[in-house]
Amino acid sequence: YADTAMYKAKESGRNTFEFYAAEMTSHALARMILKTSLKQAIEKDEFVVYYQPQIDIVKNKIIGLEALVRWKNPEKGFILPGAFLSLAVETGMVVEIDKLVIEKALSQVSQWSKKGILTGTVALNLTTKQLEYQDFVEELSTTIKRYDIDPANLVLELSEAHMMKGLEYTTEKVKELNALGVHVSIDDFGTGCSSLSFLTRLSIHQLKIDQAFVSDIPEKKESIEIIKAIIALAKSLHIDMIAEGVETLEQKEFLLALGCEKMQGNYFGEPLPAQEVEILLNKYL
Ligand code: C2E
Ligand code: MG
Ligand code: MG
Ligand code: MG
């Protein structure tokens, strides 16, 4: 569509403002189309959950899995969250999507627990939209009970940048989640300008070192200094920490030398469908 608009604009020799307007229109149109198909995807439940292993390097064990949503559209194929999540957040549709993800993941957790192959945690990603949604904590509690899951096996990941936007509200909700017995992890830590005092005010279980810093290892000195600071902060506050986006042996060794023992990333394993990750769980048991 953008190409057609550009062609027409050039052909008719319109000024740049009009060209800009035409481009905007095609962008708006693309969003409208995406919005419509996302709505249908929710109705038809076209979402699947993939799981990425989290490793304790010292114990050489899988200590958890992160649940990551994928959209499987019959026409468009396999779609990663980067292509639809921001629109889902803007429109509020993410609340419905995450309800589906929670349902699937918790059902999976209960199956794995029954088989005795899940020894660690399962982490779910949420946006603050979920926390703003009135019945969220109660519904989560009901789902946890329905699947007879130990809440301590669940981790809820909230991105730091998101959390900082509505700190008062987030604080309240994190307390409610703590009361349920689920753990809260701060995702993409280091990018969201935390008011660090909230780390001590709330029961935060874990900090996830953002992959942007990890991918800078070993070249970028500043990023390494930030990683060191996060590790020191987590250690002194007795908060668990994990590095995400570890892609190379060099990054793994570097992080380990800095004192970070838990890692996640394609070096250890990409996100996999449930059946495939189950093979890994059995192997590491
Ligand atoms: P995140 O929570 O920070 O998740 C990490 C992302 O990095 C995932 O992308 C994962 O596939 C990717 N990743 C893992 N290891 C590596 C690596 O070694 N190298 C690189 N380059 N990337 C790696 P994904 O699955 O595309 O998800 C992107 C983001 O979308 C997530 O970032 C999370 O914020 C959000 N998201 C994913 N699933 C859900 C969900 O079910 N609900 C909500 N609300 N958000 C989700
Ligand atoms: Mg995450
Ligand atoms: Mg992250
Ligand atoms: Mg990230």
PDB file of all heavy atoms in Angstrom, residues 52 66-70 80-82 85 94 97-98 101 125-127 157 159 187-188 208 210-211 244-247 264-267 269 271, ligand 1:
ATOM      1  N   GLN A  52      10.815 -20.798  26.855  1.00  0.00           N
ATOM      2  CA  GLN A  52      12.274 -20.734  26.755  1.00  0.00           C
ATOM      3  C   GLN A  52      12.897 -21.108  28.094  1.00  0.00           C
ATOM      4  O   GLN A  52      12.523 -20.558  29.138  1.00  0.00           O
ATOM      5  CB  GLN A  52      12.732 -19.321  26.355  1.00  0.00           C
ATOM      6  CG  GLN A  52      14.240 -19.265  26.099  1.00  0.00           C
ATOM      7  CD  GLN A  52      14.713 -17.924  25.591  1.00  0.00           C
ATOM      8  OE1 GLN A  52      14.220 -16.878  26.014  1.00  0.00           O
ATOM      9  NE2 GLN A  52      15.690 -17.942  24.694  1.00  0.00           N
ATOM     10  N   GLU A  66      10.302 -19.436  30.506  1.00  0.00           N
ATOM     11  CA  GLU A  66       9.533 -18.221  30.255  1.00  0.00           C
ATOM     12  C   GLU A  66       8.521 -18.490  29.150  1.00  0.00           C
ATOM     13  O   GLU A  66       8.875 -18.964  28.074  1.00  0.00           O
ATOM     14  CB  GLU A  66      10.431 -17.041  29.861  1.00  0.00           C
ATOM     15  CG  GLU A  66       9.593 -15.799  29.569  1.00  0.00           C
ATOM     16  CD  GLU A  66      10.375 -14.514  29.300  1.00  0.00           C
ATOM     17  OE1 GLU A  66      11.578 -14.588  28.980  1.00  0.00           O
ATOM     18  OE2 GLU A  66       9.773 -13.440  29.397  1.00  0.00           O
ATOM     19  N   ALA A  67       7.265 -18.198  29.437  1.00  0.00           N
ATOM     20  CA  ALA A  67       6.199 -18.369  28.453  1.00  0.00           C
ATOM     21  C   ALA A  67       6.167 -17.151  27.538  1.00  0.00           C
ATOM     22  O   ALA A  67       6.122 -16.015  28.013  1.00  0.00           O
ATOM     23  CB  ALA A  67       4.857 -18.534  29.164  1.00  0.00           C
ATOM     24  N   LEU A  68       6.211 -17.393  26.234  1.00  0.00           N
ATOM     25  CA  LEU A  68       6.228 -16.303  25.260  1.00  0.00           C
ATOM     26  C   LEU A  68       5.157 -16.569  24.198  1.00  0.00           C
ATOM     27  O   LEU A  68       5.126 -17.644  23.597  1.00  0.00           O
ATOM     28  CB  LEU A  68       7.614 -16.183  24.623  1.00  0.00           C
ATOM     29  CG  LEU A  68       8.741 -15.791  25.601  1.00  0.00           C
ATOM     30  CD1 LEU A  68      10.104 -16.245  25.093  1.00  0.00           C
ATOM     31  CD2 LEU A  68       8.732 -14.278  25.855  1.00  0.00           C
ATOM     32  N   VAL A  69       4.310 -15.601  23.997  1.00  0.00           N
ATOM     33  CA  VAL A  69       3.181 -15.796  23.087  1.00  0.00           C
ATOM     34  C   VAL A  69       3.603 -15.725  21.619  1.00  0.00           C
ATOM     35  O   VAL A  69       4.522 -14.976  21.265  1.00  0.00           O
ATOM     36  CB  VAL A  69       2.061 -14.763  23.380  1.00  0.00           C
ATOM     37  CG1 VAL A  69       2.465 -13.351  22.987  1.00  0.00           C
ATOM     38  CG2 VAL A  69       0.748 -15.156  22.697  1.00  0.00           C
ATOM     39  N   ARG A  70       2.985 -16.537  20.795  1.00  0.00           N
ATOM     40  CA  ARG A  70       3.136 -16.471  19.340  1.00  0.00           C
ATOM     41  C   ARG A  70       1.749 -16.530  18.704  1.00  0.00           C
ATOM     42  O   ARG A  70       0.881 -17.241  19.196  1.00  0.00           O
ATOM     43  CB  ARG A  70       3.954 -17.663  18.809  1.00  0.00           C
ATOM     44  CG  ARG A  70       5.460 -17.401  18.772  1.00  0.00           C
ATOM     45  CD  ARG A  70       6.114 -17.838  20.064  1.00  0.00           C
ATOM     46  NE  ARG A  70       7.541 -17.528  20.133  1.00  0.00           N
ATOM     47  CZ  ARG A  70       8.043 -16.405  20.659  1.00  0.00           C
ATOM     48  NH1 ARG A  70       7.248 -15.477  21.154  1.00  0.00           N
ATOM     49  NH2 ARG A  70       9.338 -16.188  20.708  1.00  0.00           N
ATOM     50  N   LEU A  80       5.576 -13.080  15.595  1.00  0.00           N
ATOM     51  CA  LEU A  80       6.183 -12.806  16.910  1.00  0.00           C
ATOM     52  C   LEU A  80       5.522 -11.583  17.565  1.00  0.00           C
ATOM     53  O   LEU A  80       4.966 -10.730  16.870  1.00  0.00           O
ATOM     54  CB  LEU A  80       7.681 -12.557  16.734  1.00  0.00           C
ATOM     55  CG  LEU A  80       8.515 -13.784  16.350  1.00  0.00           C
ATOM     56  CD1 LEU A  80       9.917 -13.372  15.942  1.00  0.00           C
ATOM     57  CD2 LEU A  80       8.552 -14.789  17.498  1.00  0.00           C
ATOM     58  N   PRO A  81       5.600 -11.500  18.894  1.00  0.00           N
ATOM     59  CA  PRO A  81       4.943 -10.398  19.608  1.00  0.00           C
ATOM     60  C   PRO A  81       5.347  -9.002  19.123  1.00  0.00           C
ATOM     61  O   PRO A  81       4.546  -8.070  19.182  1.00  0.00           O
ATOM     62  CB  PRO A  81       5.354 -10.590  21.063  1.00  0.00           C
ATOM     63  CG  PRO A  81       5.993 -11.902  21.165  1.00  0.00           C
ATOM     64  CD  PRO A  81       6.225 -12.457  19.820  1.00  0.00           C
ATOM     65  N   GLY A  82       6.579  -8.863  18.660  1.00  0.00           N
ATOM     66  CA  GLY A  82       7.035  -7.557  18.190  1.00  0.00           C
ATOM     67  C   GLY A  82       6.153  -6.960  17.112  1.00  0.00           C
ATOM     68  O   GLY A  82       6.067  -5.745  16.973  1.00  0.00           O
ATOM     69  N   LEU A  85       2.188  -6.725  19.435  1.00  0.00           N
ATOM     70  CA  LEU A  85       1.979  -6.438  20.854  1.00  0.00           C
ATOM     71  C   LEU A  85       1.734  -4.954  21.154  1.00  0.00           C
ATOM     72  O   LEU A  85       0.879  -4.629  21.982  1.00  0.00           O
ATOM     73  CB  LEU A  85       3.148  -6.967  21.680  1.00  0.00           C
ATOM     74  CG  LEU A  85       2.755  -7.363  23.094  1.00  0.00           C
ATOM     75  CD1 LEU A  85       1.834  -8.557  23.104  1.00  0.00           C
ATOM     76  CD2 LEU A  85       3.989  -7.645  23.926  1.00  0.00           C
ATOM     77  N   VAL A  94      -4.540  -6.545  24.544  1.00  0.00           N
ATOM     78  CA  VAL A  94      -3.534  -7.368  25.226  1.00  0.00           C
ATOM     79  C   VAL A  94      -4.121  -8.051  26.468  1.00  0.00           C
ATOM     80  O   VAL A  94      -3.684  -9.143  26.847  1.00  0.00           O
ATOM     81  CB  VAL A  94      -2.281  -6.528  25.583  1.00  0.00           C
ATOM     82  CG1 VAL A  94      -2.557  -5.567  26.741  1.00  0.00           C
ATOM     83  CG2 VAL A  94      -1.100  -7.424  25.898  1.00  0.00           C
ATOM     84  N   ILE A  97      -5.629 -11.176  25.171  1.00  0.00           N
ATOM     85  CA  ILE A  97      -4.567 -12.077  24.706  1.00  0.00           C
ATOM     86  C   ILE A  97      -3.893 -12.736  25.907  1.00  0.00           C
ATOM     87  O   ILE A  97      -3.698 -13.945  25.950  1.00  0.00           O
ATOM     88  CB  ILE A  97      -3.532 -11.322  23.838  1.00  0.00           C
ATOM     89  CG1 ILE A  97      -4.204 -10.820  22.547  1.00  0.00           C
ATOM     90  CG2 ILE A  97      -2.326 -12.204  23.516  1.00  0.00           C
ATOM     91  CD1 ILE A  97      -3.337  -9.914  21.692  1.00  0.00           C
ATOM     92  N   ASP A  98      -3.570 -11.917  26.918  1.00  0.00           N
ATOM     93  CA  ASP A  98      -2.885 -12.475  28.087  1.00  0.00           C
ATOM     94  C   ASP A  98      -3.778 -13.399  28.913  1.00  0.00           C
ATOM     95  O   ASP A  98      -3.285 -14.316  29.562  1.00  0.00           O
ATOM     96  CB  ASP A  98      -2.264 -11.361  28.923  1.00  0.00           C
ATOM     97  CG  ASP A  98      -0.919 -10.919  28.334  1.00  0.00           C
ATOM     98  OD1 ASP A  98      -0.321 -11.711  27.573  1.00  0.00           O
ATOM     99  OD2 ASP A  98      -0.468  -9.799  28.613  1.00  0.00           O
ATOM    100  N   VAL A 101      -3.232 -16.560  27.182  1.00  0.00           N
ATOM    101  CA  VAL A 101      -1.879 -17.065  27.470  1.00  0.00           C
ATOM    102  C   VAL A 101      -1.822 -17.671  28.879  1.00  0.00           C
ATOM    103  O   VAL A 101      -1.288 -18.766  29.080  1.00  0.00           O
ATOM    104  CB  VAL A 101      -0.818 -15.945  27.321  1.00  0.00           C
ATOM    105  CG1 VAL A 101       0.548 -16.415  27.819  1.00  0.00           C
ATOM    106  CG2 VAL A 101      -0.716 -15.482  25.866  1.00  0.00           C
ATOM    107  N   ASN A 125       4.660 -13.071  30.989  1.00  0.00           N
ATOM    108  CA  ASN A 125       4.854 -11.642  30.770  1.00  0.00           C
ATOM    109  C   ASN A 125       3.511 -10.922  30.832  1.00  0.00           C
ATOM    110  O   ASN A 125       2.542 -11.363  30.233  1.00  0.00           O
ATOM    111  CB  ASN A 125       5.467 -11.402  29.388  1.00  0.00           C
ATOM    112  CG  ASN A 125       6.892 -11.875  29.330  1.00  0.00           C
ATOM    113  OD1 ASN A 125       7.809 -11.184  29.764  1.00  0.00           O
ATOM    114  ND2 ASN A 125       7.089 -13.087  28.817  1.00  0.00           N
ATOM    115  N   LEU A 126       3.484  -9.848  31.550  1.00  0.00           N
ATOM    116  CA  LEU A 126       2.263  -9.058  31.613  1.00  0.00           C
ATOM    117  C   LEU A 126       2.583  -7.590  31.374  1.00  0.00           C
ATOM    118  O   LEU A 126       3.698  -7.148  31.611  1.00  0.00           O
ATOM    119  CB  LEU A 126       1.616  -9.188  32.999  1.00  0.00           C
ATOM    120  CG  LEU A 126       1.066 -10.557  33.386  1.00  0.00           C
ATOM    121  CD1 LEU A 126       0.527 -10.493  34.805  1.00  0.00           C
ATOM    122  CD2 LEU A 126      -0.028 -11.005  32.425  1.00  0.00           C
ATOM    123  N   THR A 127       1.588  -6.862  30.921  1.00  0.00           N
ATOM    124  CA  THR A 127       1.750  -5.411  30.836  1.00  0.00           C
ATOM    125  C   THR A 127       0.919  -4.801  31.968  1.00  0.00           C
ATOM    126  O   THR A 127       0.116  -5.495  32.600  1.00  0.00           O
ATOM    127  CB  THR A 127       1.239  -4.855  29.491  1.00  0.00           C
ATOM    128  OG1 THR A 127      -0.176  -4.970  29.454  1.00  0.00           O
ATOM    129  CG2 THR A 127       1.844  -5.619  28.321  1.00  0.00           C
ATOM    130  N   GLU A 157       6.293 -11.491  35.078  1.00  0.00           N
ATOM    131  CA  GLU A 157       7.295 -10.520  34.635  1.00  0.00           C
ATOM    132  C   GLU A 157       6.607  -9.227  34.213  1.00  0.00           C
ATOM    133  O   GLU A 157       5.695  -9.231  33.397  1.00  0.00           O
ATOM    134  CB  GLU A 157       8.093 -11.077  33.450  1.00  0.00           C
ATOM    135  CG  GLU A 157       8.952 -12.266  33.807  1.00  0.00           C
ATOM    136  CD  GLU A 157       9.899 -12.658  32.666  1.00  0.00           C
ATOM    137  OE1 GLU A 157       9.965 -11.936  31.660  1.00  0.00           O
ATOM    138  OE2 GLU A 157      10.557 -13.694  32.809  1.00  0.00           O
ATOM    139  N   SER A 159       7.647  -5.342  32.843  1.00  0.00           N
ATOM    140  CA  SER A 159       8.815  -4.584  32.382  1.00  0.00           C
ATOM    141  C   SER A 159       9.000  -3.342  33.247  1.00  0.00           C
ATOM    142  O   SER A 159       8.031  -2.721  33.690  1.00  0.00           O
ATOM    143  CB  SER A 159       8.697  -4.227  30.909  1.00  0.00           C
ATOM    144  OG  SER A 159       8.069  -2.994  30.755  1.00  0.00           O
ATOM    145  N   ASP A 187      11.234  -7.214  34.451  1.00  0.00           N
ATOM    146  CA  ASP A 187      11.795  -7.515  33.136  1.00  0.00           C
ATOM    147  C   ASP A 187      12.529  -6.295  32.592  1.00  0.00           C
ATOM    148  O   ASP A 187      12.226  -5.160  32.969  1.00  0.00           O
ATOM    149  CB  ASP A 187      10.629  -7.874  32.203  1.00  0.00           C
ATOM    150  CG  ASP A 187      11.048  -8.808  31.078  1.00  0.00           C
ATOM    151  OD1 ASP A 187      12.253  -8.979  30.866  1.00  0.00           O
ATOM    152  OD2 ASP A 187      10.149  -9.352  30.424  1.00  0.00           O
ATOM    153  N   ASP A 188      13.477  -6.548  31.714  1.00  0.00           N
ATOM    154  CA  ASP A 188      14.215  -5.480  31.024  1.00  0.00           C
ATOM    155  C   ASP A 188      14.804  -4.490  32.019  1.00  0.00           C
ATOM    156  O   ASP A 188      14.787  -3.271  31.787  1.00  0.00           O
ATOM    157  CB  ASP A 188      13.304  -4.749  30.022  1.00  0.00           C
ATOM    158  CG  ASP A 188      12.562  -5.714  29.106  1.00  0.00           C
ATOM    159  OD1 ASP A 188      13.175  -6.724  28.720  1.00  0.00           O
ATOM    160  OD2 ASP A 188      11.388  -5.477  28.804  1.00  0.00           O
ATOM    161  N   LYS A 208      15.542  -9.001  35.951  1.00  0.00           N
ATOM    162  CA  LYS A 208      16.036  -9.576  34.698  1.00  0.00           C
ATOM    163  C   LYS A 208      16.883  -8.554  33.985  1.00  0.00           C
ATOM    164  O   LYS A 208      16.388  -7.497  33.572  1.00  0.00           O
ATOM    165  CB  LYS A 208      14.866  -9.967  33.783  1.00  0.00           C
ATOM    166  CG  LYS A 208      14.256 -11.291  34.103  1.00  0.00           C
ATOM    167  CD  LYS A 208      13.341 -11.743  32.986  1.00  0.00           C
ATOM    168  CE  LYS A 208      13.978 -12.889  32.218  1.00  0.00           C
ATOM    169  NZ  LYS A 208      12.968 -13.542  31.342  1.00  0.00           N
ATOM    170  N   ASP A 210      18.429  -6.717  31.206  1.00  0.00           N
ATOM    171  CA  ASP A 210      17.948  -6.577  29.835  1.00  0.00           C
ATOM    172  C   ASP A 210      18.964  -7.069  28.813  1.00  0.00           C
ATOM    173  O   ASP A 210      20.172  -6.876  28.964  1.00  0.00           O
ATOM    174  CB  ASP A 210      17.594  -5.123  29.535  1.00  0.00           C
ATOM    175  CG  ASP A 210      16.825  -4.987  28.236  1.00  0.00           C
ATOM    176  OD1 ASP A 210      15.674  -5.458  28.193  1.00  0.00           O
ATOM    177  OD2 ASP A 210      17.385  -4.451  27.259  1.00  0.00           O
ATOM    178  N   GLN A 211      18.444  -7.671  27.755  1.00  0.00           N
ATOM    179  CA  GLN A 211      19.329  -8.245  26.749  1.00  0.00           C
ATOM    180  C   GLN A 211      20.136  -7.200  25.985  1.00  0.00           C
ATOM    181  O   GLN A 211      21.170  -7.529  25.406  1.00  0.00           O
ATOM    182  CB  GLN A 211      18.559  -9.157  25.796  1.00  0.00           C
ATOM    183  CG  GLN A 211      17.515  -8.477  24.959  1.00  0.00           C
ATOM    184  CD  GLN A 211      16.778  -9.493  24.069  1.00  0.00           C
ATOM    185  OE1 GLN A 211      16.468 -10.608  24.484  1.00  0.00           O
ATOM    186  NE2 GLN A 211      16.500  -9.110  22.854  1.00  0.00           N
ATOM    187  N   GLU A 244      19.099 -12.082  30.445  1.00  0.00           N
ATOM    188  CA  GLU A 244      18.362 -12.585  29.283  1.00  0.00           C
ATOM    189  C   GLU A 244      19.088 -12.249  27.985  1.00  0.00           C
ATOM    190  O   GLU A 244      19.922 -11.348  27.940  1.00  0.00           O
ATOM    191  CB  GLU A 244      16.936 -12.043  29.260  1.00  0.00           C
ATOM    192  CG  GLU A 244      16.826 -10.559  28.990  1.00  0.00           C
ATOM    193  CD  GLU A 244      15.384 -10.068  28.917  1.00  0.00           C
ATOM    194  OE1 GLU A 244      14.456 -10.879  28.932  1.00  0.00           O
ATOM    195  OE2 GLU A 244      15.216  -8.844  28.837  1.00  0.00           O
ATOM    196  N   GLY A 245      18.811 -13.027  26.959  1.00  0.00           N
ATOM    197  CA  GLY A 245      19.390 -12.765  25.646  1.00  0.00           C
ATOM    198  C   GLY A 245      20.843 -13.171  25.517  1.00  0.00           C
ATOM    199  O   GLY A 245      21.588 -12.591  24.740  1.00  0.00           O
ATOM    200  N   VAL A 246      21.246 -14.203  26.285  1.00  0.00           N
ATOM    201  CA  VAL A 246      22.627 -14.695  26.184  1.00  0.00           C
ATOM    202  C   VAL A 246      22.757 -15.523  24.903  1.00  0.00           C
ATOM    203  O   VAL A 246      22.033 -16.495  24.708  1.00  0.00           O
ATOM    204  CB  VAL A 246      23.002 -15.548  27.422  1.00  0.00           C
ATOM    205  CG1 VAL A 246      24.431 -16.072  27.296  1.00  0.00           C
ATOM    206  CG2 VAL A 246      22.826 -14.734  28.695  1.00  0.00           C
ATOM    207  N   GLU A 247      23.652 -15.084  24.038  1.00  0.00           N
ATOM    208  CA  GLU A 247      23.763 -15.713  22.713  1.00  0.00           C
ATOM    209  C   GLU A 247      25.087 -16.434  22.470  1.00  0.00           C
ATOM    210  O   GLU A 247      25.170 -17.259  21.569  1.00  0.00           O
ATOM    211  CB  GLU A 247      23.574 -14.659  21.610  1.00  0.00           C
ATOM    212  CG  GLU A 247      22.151 -14.139  21.522  1.00  0.00           C
ATOM    213  CD  GLU A 247      21.972 -13.080  20.453  1.00  0.00           C
ATOM    214  OE1 GLU A 247      22.972 -12.435  20.064  1.00  0.00           O
ATOM    215  OE2 GLU A 247      20.828 -12.883  20.030  1.00  0.00           O
ATOM    216  N   GLN A 264      19.386 -16.952  30.492  1.00  0.00           N
ATOM    217  CA  GLN A 264      18.394 -17.372  29.519  1.00  0.00           C
ATOM    218  C   GLN A 264      18.825 -16.791  28.189  1.00  0.00           C
ATOM    219  O   GLN A 264      19.337 -15.679  28.138  1.00  0.00           O
ATOM    220  CB  GLN A 264      17.046 -16.781  29.961  1.00  0.00           C
ATOM    221  CG  GLN A 264      15.885 -17.043  29.044  1.00  0.00           C
ATOM    222  CD  GLN A 264      14.617 -16.342  29.535  1.00  0.00           C
ATOM    223  OE1 GLN A 264      14.543 -15.862  30.667  1.00  0.00           O
ATOM    224  NE2 GLN A 264      13.626 -16.258  28.672  1.00  0.00           N
ATOM    225  N   GLY A 265      18.652 -17.527  27.131  1.00  0.00           N
ATOM    226  CA  GLY A 265      19.014 -16.999  25.822  1.00  0.00           C
ATOM    227  C   GLY A 265      19.204 -18.094  24.794  1.00  0.00           C
ATOM    228  O   GLY A 265      19.243 -19.281  25.140  1.00  0.00           O
ATOM    229  N   ASN A 266      19.320 -17.691  23.569  1.00  0.00           N
ATOM    230  CA  ASN A 266      19.398 -18.651  22.479  1.00  0.00           C
ATOM    231  C   ASN A 266      20.633 -19.548  22.559  1.00  0.00           C
ATOM    232  O   ASN A 266      20.645 -20.630  21.986  1.00  0.00           O
ATOM    233  CB  ASN A 266      19.349 -17.929  21.129  1.00  0.00           C
ATOM    234  CG  ASN A 266      17.997 -17.275  20.895  1.00  0.00           C
ATOM    235  OD1 ASN A 266      17.021 -17.583  21.595  1.00  0.00           O
ATOM    236  ND2 ASN A 266      17.927 -16.371  19.937  1.00  0.00           N
ATOM    237  N   TYR A 267      21.663 -19.111  23.281  1.00  0.00           N
ATOM    238  CA  TYR A 267      22.839 -19.954  23.471  1.00  0.00           C
ATOM    239  C   TYR A 267      22.441 -21.269  24.163  1.00  0.00           C
ATOM    240  O   TYR A 267      22.966 -22.333  23.853  1.00  0.00           O
ATOM    241  CB  TYR A 267      23.907 -19.225  24.296  1.00  0.00           C
ATOM    242  CG  TYR A 267      25.122 -20.073  24.586  1.00  0.00           C
ATOM    243  CD1 TYR A 267      26.043 -20.374  23.585  1.00  0.00           C
ATOM    244  CD2 TYR A 267      25.333 -20.598  25.860  1.00  0.00           C
ATOM    245  CE1 TYR A 267      27.140 -21.179  23.840  1.00  0.00           C
ATOM    246  CE2 TYR A 267      26.438 -21.390  26.131  1.00  0.00           C
ATOM    247  CZ  TYR A 267      27.330 -21.681  25.119  1.00  0.00           C
ATOM    248  OH  TYR A 267      28.417 -22.483  25.378  1.00  0.00           O
ATOM    249  N   GLY A 269      19.023 -22.230  24.555  1.00  0.00           N
ATOM    250  CA  GLY A 269      17.830 -22.777  23.926  1.00  0.00           C
ATOM    251  C   GLY A 269      16.865 -21.687  23.542  1.00  0.00           C
ATOM    252  O   GLY A 269      16.607 -20.777  24.329  1.00  0.00           O
ATOM    253  N   PRO A 271      13.046 -20.260  22.418  1.00  0.00           N
ATOM    254  CA  PRO A 271      11.692 -20.609  22.854  1.00  0.00           C
ATOM    255  C   PRO A 271      11.147 -21.757  21.993  1.00  0.00           C
ATOM    256  O   PRO A 271      11.329 -21.750  20.775  1.00  0.00           O
ATOM    257  CB  PRO A 271      10.896 -19.317  22.604  1.00  0.00           C
ATOM    258  CG  PRO A 271      11.914 -18.223  22.558  1.00  0.00           C
ATOM    259  CD  PRO A 271      13.142 -18.848  21.994  1.00  0.00           C
TER     260      PRO A 271
HETATM  261  P1  C2E B   1      10.940 -10.219  26.956  1.00  0.00           P
HETATM  262  O1  C2E B   1       9.978 -10.627  28.016  1.00  0.00           O
HETATM  263  O2  C2E B   1      12.091  -9.387  27.334  1.00  0.00           O
HETATM  264  O3  C2E B   1      11.374 -11.593  26.295  1.00  0.00           O
HETATM  265  C1  C2E B   1      12.618 -11.819  25.741  1.00  0.00           C
HETATM  266  C2  C2E B   1      12.569 -11.785  24.241  1.00  0.00           C
HETATM  267  O4  C2E B   1      13.868 -12.027  23.734  1.00  0.00           O
HETATM  268  C3  C2E B   1      11.698 -12.845  23.601  1.00  0.00           C
HETATM  269  O5  C2E B   1      11.205 -12.300  22.380  1.00  0.00           O
HETATM  270  C4  C2E B   1      12.676 -13.959  23.305  1.00  0.00           C
HETATM  271  O6  C2E B   1      12.267 -14.828  22.288  1.00  0.00           O
HETATM  272  C5  C2E B   1      13.858 -13.149  22.884  1.00  0.00           C
HETATM  273  N1  C2E B   1      15.129 -13.855  23.100  1.00  0.00           N
HETATM  274  C6  C2E B   1      15.414 -14.850  23.956  1.00  0.00           C
HETATM  275  N2  C2E B   1      16.688 -15.206  23.889  1.00  0.00           N
HETATM  276  C7  C2E B   1      17.262 -14.422  22.968  1.00  0.00           C
HETATM  277  C8  C2E B   1      18.595 -14.303  22.445  1.00  0.00           C
HETATM  278  O7  C2E B   1      19.509 -15.008  22.821  1.00  0.00           O
HETATM  279  N3  C2E B   1      18.791 -13.329  21.518  1.00  0.00           N
HETATM  280  C9  C2E B   1      17.794 -12.516  21.078  1.00  0.00           C
HETATM  281  N4  C2E B   1      18.086 -11.586  20.184  1.00  0.00           N
HETATM  282  N5  C2E B   1      16.538 -12.596  21.546  1.00  0.00           N
HETATM  283  C10 C2E B   1      16.274 -13.540  22.472  1.00  0.00           C
HETATM  284  P2  C2E B   1       9.709 -12.456  21.936  1.00  0.00           P
HETATM  285  O8  C2E B   1       9.194 -13.818  22.280  1.00  0.00           O
HETATM  286  O9  C2E B   1       9.623 -12.001  20.532  1.00  0.00           O
HETATM  287  O10 C2E B   1       8.965 -11.439  22.881  1.00  0.00           O
HETATM  288  C11 C2E B   1       9.225 -10.074  22.830  1.00  0.00           C
HETATM  289  C12 C2E B   1       8.587  -9.363  23.983  1.00  0.00           C
HETATM  290  O11 C2E B   1       7.172  -9.446  23.897  1.00  0.00           O
HETATM  291  C13 C2E B   1       8.936  -9.961  25.338  1.00  0.00           C
HETATM  292  O12 C2E B   1      10.161  -9.453  25.765  1.00  0.00           O
HETATM  293  C14 C2E B   1       7.769  -9.510  26.177  1.00  0.00           C
HETATM  294  O13 C2E B   1       7.958  -8.212  26.661  1.00  0.00           O
HETATM  295  C15 C2E B   1       6.648  -9.508  25.193  1.00  0.00           C
HETATM  296  N6  C2E B   1       5.837 -10.726  25.334  1.00  0.00           N
HETATM  297  C16 C2E B   1       6.109 -11.982  24.913  1.00  0.00           C
HETATM  298  N7  C2E B   1       5.124 -12.831  25.234  1.00  0.00           N
HETATM  299  C17 C2E B   1       4.186 -12.105  25.881  1.00  0.00           C
HETATM  300  C18 C2E B   1       2.904 -12.411  26.474  1.00  0.00           C
HETATM  301  O14 C2E B   1       2.409 -13.555  26.491  1.00  0.00           O
HETATM  302  N8  C2E B   1       2.239 -11.369  27.052  1.00  0.00           N
HETATM  303  C19 C2E B   1       2.742 -10.106  27.068  1.00  0.00           C
HETATM  304  N9  C2E B   1       2.001  -9.147  27.642  1.00  0.00           N
HETATM  305  N10 C2E B   1       3.924  -9.787  26.542  1.00  0.00           N
HETATM  306  C20 C2E B   1       4.641 -10.777  25.958  1.00  0.00           C
END
